[in-house]
Amino acid sequence: MTTATASRTPALDWRLRFGALALIWGFSFLLIKVGTEGYAPFQVTFGRLLFGTAVLAVAMAVKRQRLPRGARTWGHLAVAALLLNALPFSLFAYSELSIPSTLAGICNATSPLWGMALSLVALSEDRPTRVRVAGLGIGFLGVLTVLGAWQGFHGLDAGGTAMALLASLSYPIGWIYVRRTLAGSEHSHLSMTGAQLLLATLQLAIFTPLFTSFPTRFAGVPLLAIAALGALGTGLAVLIQYGLVAEVGPTTAQMVTYFIPVIATGAGVTILGESLTWSTPVGAVIVLAGAALTQARQTRPSAGRTAPTRAPQTRPADGSTALAQAPQTRTSGSDAAPARTNQARPSDSAATPTHTN
């Protein structure tokens, strides 16, 4: 006797959710800038993590999922939380004290380039191709264009820019660590991500009082910006992306990466009134073109058999995904859990929607 299970259809078309995800992550840099106008950078980071963790806690309760078990798993998640959340979030917040949100958003787009460069050193199985190496060179040429290297980086705050680039570098370092330690875990994506954000929140709960004083007044607009940054950009966005990967696959979902710096630049210029020179959009286009080339896959069909296709790893802009997984497309709705595989793991230099941040 069989029981028919009705498939659940997502309430919103995946294209609408894709656009919402791009907007949420694109506006995150504006929200960081507004948050730092009323609170210290560590306080902004702690707030966004707190609100983001709360959203995932509600999602876990609704789906009746528990936190992962095992001291070793929690130890690896603590490192992942530092590299993928606590450290880059804090660096971006500090960087926007001295650089525009537009520049921070473009610096964030260099994360796939750093991932490509690191994978050549850290991942022996991730062999480079000429196209991907060319993409790496083109991408960093775009970075130099954004920074105005030909005029000696005139008018550029070196400290703030360096922190934004270090934040972008922290993401691929964390992803490579996750791949080597947590890939193929038996725990669910939502459970691992919730635990990772919880640990990042605890880390900031320790560091924030050590380096900042308790606010004497609570500025309303910056506080709302922090709440939106955490609840939307760090909590809801992860759930949206999780559904997109399950429904349309990682290749389509990862395309959101290329909209983030465009939206971040538009938001910074139109809402915050930040200045924009020709080198910023031109350099951003070059960066994104180079990043796209670094994700090119080399197909090597063998005689008599077809090599399995390796699904690219999709990572949220805020680095919240704790597992290197190869999700499969499901027809039962956006909340279907992606299936993990231990046979073919994606490269850590795969294109990723990163912020973000």
Side-chain angles (χ1 to χ4, degrees), residues 45 190 212 330:
T45 303
L190 182 58
T212 63
R330 305 285 285 271

Side-chain angles (χ1 to χ4, degrees), residues 183-194:
S185 171
E186 62 182 6
H187 302 289
S188 72
H189 162 95
L190 182 58
S191 173
M192 297 288 278
T193 303

Side-chain angles (χ1 to χ4, degrees), residues 43-129:
Q43 294 169 344
V44 173
T45 303
F46 174 69
R48 74 176 293 184
L49 286 170
L50 184 64
F51 284 106
T53 302
V55 171
L56 290 189
V58 172
M60 290 179 63
V62 170
K63 294 180 178 293
R64 297 182 179 181
Q65 293 195 15
R66 298 179 178 179
L67 292 172
R69 298 179 180 179
R72 183 175 181 181
T73 298
W74 280 89
H76 291 316
L77 283 173
V79 178
L82 175 65
L83 294 174
L84 294 174
N85 301 115
L87 179 60
F89 289 4
S90 299
L91 286 172
F92 272 122
Y94 270 102
S95 72
E96 292 200 37
L97 291 177
S98 56
I99 67 173
S101 64
T102 55
L103 179 56
I106 294 173
C107 287
N108 176 81
T110 65
S111 191
L113 303 177
W114 295 119
M116 168 65 182
L118 289 173
S119 69
L120 299 181
V121 178
L123 301 173
S124 59
E125 72 273 19
D126 192 19
R127 297 179 180 179
T129 63

